[in-house]
Amino acid sequence: MKNTYRNMSFNILKKPDTSRIIFLIAFRISTFIFLLLICGLDQAKAENCYFTPKDIFKQMRTFTYNGNSVEVPADSGDTEIYKSTFSSYYHQIAVACKTMQRSGIKVNPSISSQPSSGTEFTFINHPNFYWKLKFENYVYFPTINSTDNNFNFNTLDSVFDFSNRFTLSIYKRGGSATDAFTVPAGLLGTWASTDGFKVAEIVLSSPINISTTTCETNNINVDMKNYNLSELQSASNGTKNISFNLNLTKCPNSIKNVKYSLKATTEAINTEQGIVSLNNSSTAKGIALQVKDSEGAPLKLDSYHQFTGSKNGDTFSIPLNASYVKLPNKELKAGTANTEVTFLIQYL
């Protein structure tokens, strides 16, 4: 997020015959037989795996999660934005297969993309978000395509009994601003074996509405005051510091803290020392502007700095300083001395 600030001294930028009937009937009979054969194959395939006597429920479960509204701070880093746990009444899940099968998550392709490996299932309508599922206090479920996982169904009982609490989490990948996004209600995916035996469906009972939150900011004009050339000539560290604040207001509760970065709009003379040149409208020569932190130490440009203060209600007020400095080996000339700096905010 960018905010630009201007001021005159120091600016911070912000229908059918019989033969045909016979043909159609024959075709339909053939099709029906063909479908029966297909169904028979599918049933035989599915019977490779089964719930064993150790499983009281002996049928596919449905893990159901409630949707809600989620606020995500714009430009926030990698973060978990939704978490909900489903508790199964029939605690123990027990499966066996005639031949050993791997199992994992098979996604609903209208919702998520199916990765070739790993445990992250990215939403196809918004690649900045993905979901994961895990047993509580155990590892995350892998994609069904994965060859390396701990969810195998063996020829003997494969018993899963970790209190049968299953946690669904949604994560945001950090680094960029996020538009409004809705995860629709319905099937997210299925816990299944590689030959199609379904253990559980993961379902949202209602949508999850995700929105981006920011604070409001206004342009800031910093009055740098007037100085005599003699003051600049004699001041080795520049003129006295002029304090000002970057004020972020109407910040929602989801934003707990912020980072800030300053970027030169004019030429950066010394990035490490926070020194920027005057703008083209300035008539003064031989001087530049230096931006400093709340303690008066030079503030490095193009780097994010953690705000160490606290939020006051819905407002962050970030204290900074600025001063004029004389450029070495440059002739001083009196005149107007204006410049601009852009600041960027990262919400946490």
Side-chain angles (χ1 to χ4, degrees):
M1 171 181 175
K2 239 181 232 189
N3 296 277
T4 307
Y5 294 82
R6 293 198 171 93
N7 105 55
M8 286 304 295
S9 296
F10 162 48
N11 304 326
I12 296 184
L13 301 181
K14 98 141 227 138
K15 157 155 138 224
D17 55 40
T18 303
S19 61
R20 186 179 175 196
I21 294 173
I22 292 173
F23 172 78
L24 289 173
I25 291 173
F27 177 77
R28 289 169 181 161
I29 291 174
S30 298
T31 303
F32 179 66
I33 293 172
F34 177 72
L35 289 172
L36 281 178
L37 287 171
I38 292 296
C39 292
L41 287 173
D42 283 345
Q43 183 178 9
K45 183 178 179 181
E47 285 178 350
N48 181 50
C49 297
Y50 53 93
F51 293 105
T52 74
K54 290 184 179 179
D55 191 312
I56 299 173
F57 197 46
K58 293 186 178 63
Q59 59 183 288
M60 183 188 75
R61 278 81 167 164
T62 301
F63 302 161
T64 304
Y65 301 91
N66 297 322
N68 56 27
S69 295
V70 177
E71 292 186 342
V72 182
D75 300 319
S76 60
D78 295 354
T79 185
E80 183 181 54
I81 63 168
Y82 170 94
K83 184 176 182 179
S84 182
T85 299
F86 172 83
S87 297
S88 174
Y89 178 76
Y90 299 98
H91 288 185
Q92 188 164 267
I93 296 174
V95 178
C97 300
K98 295 176 182 177
T99 59
M100 193 277 289
Q101 297 289 314
R102 297 191 307 273
S103 78
I105 299 298
K106 183 176 182 180
V107 302
N108 178 348
S110 68
I111 302 296
S112 307
S113 56
Q114 187 78 57
S116 58
S117 61
T119 60
E120 299 177 3
F121 309 104
T122 299
F123 293 102
I124 59 175
N125 290 332
H126 211 307
N128 280 349
F129 294 91
Y130 61 92
W131 61 275
K132 302 176 75 170
L133 185 76
K134 68 177 296 184
F135 275 122
E136 190 173 274
N137 301 321
Y138 198 55
V139 298
Y140 285 99
F141 281 87
T143 176
I144 198 169
N145 297 333
S146 178
T147 59
D148 182 20
N149 68 70
N150 296 319
F151 293 90
N152 292 327
F153 296 155
N154 300 306
T155 54
L156 299 175
D157 278 312
S158 298
V159 180
F160 300 89
D161 186 7
F162 301 89
S163 78
N164 276 7
R165 289 170 56 84
F166 301 89
T167 300
L168 173 68
S169 296
I170 296 178
Y171 295 86
K172 175 188 177 293
R173 295 185 175 94
S176 60
T178 305
D179 298 323
F181 169 60
T182 297
V183 184
L187 179 68
L188 276 179
T190 306
W191 174 17
S193 69
T194 50
D195 70 351
F197 181 79
K198 297 180 180 180
V199 179
E201 291 184 335
I202 302 97
V203 173
L204 284 177
S205 62
S206 54
I208 298 175
N209 299 307
I210 300 168
S211 61
T212 300
T213 59
T214 63
C215 302
E216 290 187 6
T217 58
N218 295 307
N219 293 339
I220 303 169
N221 295 322
V222 181
D223 182 1
M224 292 300 295
K225 311 300 180 183
N226 297 318
Y227 301 93
N228 294 320
L229 288 181
S230 58
E231 294 180 76
L232 282 165
Q233 288 171 328
S234 61
S236 59
N237 293 321
T239 62
K240 67 179 180 180
N241 291 331
I242 301 296
S243 62
F244 64 97
N245 293 324
L246 302 181
N247 292 317
L248 316 177
T249 62
K250 299 183 180 179
C251 301
N253 292 332
S254 58
I255 297 176
K256 306 299 183 184
N257 213 322
V258 296
K259 291 183 178 181
Y260 62 95
S261 175
L262 299 183
K263 183 177 182 64
T265 302
T266 58
E267 178 188 358
I269 295 174
N270 189 324
T271 300
E272 291 290 330
Q273 292 295 310
I275 301 176
V276 299
S277 64
L278 303 181
N279 63 22
N280 291 333
S281 70
S282 299
T283 59
K285 304 294 181 182
I287 66 172
L289 184 102
Q290 185 174 37
V291 186
K292 306 173 183 180
D293 64 17
S294 61
E295 301 298 323
L299 191 70
K300 184 178 180 180
L301 305 175
D302 303 326
S303 294
Y304 275 99
H305 306 277
Q306 178 75 53
F307 174 56
T308 57
S310 58
K311 186 178 182 181
N312 184 10
D314 65 356
T315 300
F316 292 99
S317 187
I318 305 171
L320 298 174
N321 288 281
S323 68
Y324 287 124
V325 294
K326 181 181 179 297
L327 296 175
N329 304 318
K330 296 290 184 179
E331 182 181 353
L332 284 174
K333 180 182 176 181
T336 58
N338 306 318
T339 194
E340 301 83 33
V341 173
T342 300
F343 76 88
L344 301 90
I345 297 296
Q346 188 177 86
Y347 298 105
L348 306 175

